[in-house]
Amino acid sequence: MRLTAYTDYSLRTLMYLALNRDRLVTINDIAELHGISKNHLMKVVHQLGLFGFLETVRGRNGGLRLNKEPEDINIGDVVRHSETDFFMAECFDRENNSCVYAPACTLKSVLSSATAAYLSVLDGVTLLDIIKRSPTGSKRNDEARSIQLHR
């Protein structure tokens, strides 16, 4: 399963806010650090605000801050709010499913179980759990390695 850029940016935004609780953060701060388009990030921030994960402070010295404590922000919830769907294959989309195997195929049930397991793991993680393991600043985490799927 692969997260969309939108969800990735949502998580990075929340992590940055959690690591900078002592001040108001600007969209520009986050965009520059992560090399993200400010326009795209504005959409992400707007949605995170609507979902209650962060609050915006308007005005000359305004910015962003978490609206909840990091331990109260569940990563599974963030991902569910950020992703548009969890269609692992065409058969998950009832409106656009033209697979001839769909009526008798068990792949959908296997993939549904895999998706549920994936979300279950995320449900057991809070924003606090993530920032406790994350390096501060722009250093790379040597422990974060891609999972090798092909040999």
Side-chain angles (χ1 to χ4, degrees), residues 11-26:
L11 293 169
R12 289 192 212 186
T13 297
L14 292 173
M15 290 170 67
Y16 190 83
L17 293 174
L19 291 168
N20 291 278
R21 303 278 324 261
D22 59 332
R23 65 184 181 92
L24 288 174
V25 172
T26 67

Side-chain angles (χ1 to χ4, degrees), residues 51-88:
F51 294 134
F53 295 119
L54 62 79
E55 72 172 311
T56 57
V57 177
R58 296 185 184 268
R60 181 174 163 88
N61 295 314
L64 314 168
R65 64 179 163 220
L66 289 180
N67 196 34
K68 299 177 179 183
E69 294 300 316
E71 61 268 23
D72 296 328
I73 297 177
N74 181 275
I75 299 304
D77 288 342
V78 175
V79 170
R80 283 182 182 86
H81 281 96
S82 302
E83 289 292 315
T84 56
D85 65 58
F86 290 96
F87 294 168
M88 296 291 290

Side-chain angles (χ1 to χ4, degrees), residues 125-148:
V125 179
T126 67
L127 182 58
L128 180 63
D129 296 327
I130 290 175
I131 64 168
K132 286 194 308 189
R133 299 179 199 147
S134 294
T136 57
S138 60
K139 295 177 187 173
R140 298 283 181 201
N141 184 352
D142 291 335
E143 295 177 17
R145 292 184 173 84
S146 297
I147 297 171
Q148 183 177 353

Side-chain angles (χ1 to χ4, degrees), residues 80-145:
R80 283 182 182 86
H81 281 96
S82 302
E83 289 292 315
T84 56
D85 65 58
F86 290 96
F87 294 168
M88 296 291 290
E90 180 182 320
C91 57
F92 282 74
D93 185 356
R94 293 177 194 216
E95 294 178 17
N96 298 310
N97 182 9
S98 62
C99 179
V100 297
Y101 301 117
C105 183
T106 59
L107 179 61
K108 182 176 179 182
S109 119
V110 171
L111 293 176
S112 290
S113 295
T115 302
Y118 172 77
L119 291 170
S120 177
V121 169
L122 295 178
D123 287 339
V125 179
T126 67
L127 182 58
L128 180 63
D129 296 327
I130 290 175
I131 64 168
K132 286 194 308 189
R133 299 179 199 147
S134 294
T136 57
S138 60
K139 295 177 187 173
R140 298 283 181 201
N141 184 352
D142 291 335
E143 295 177 17
R145 292 184 173 84

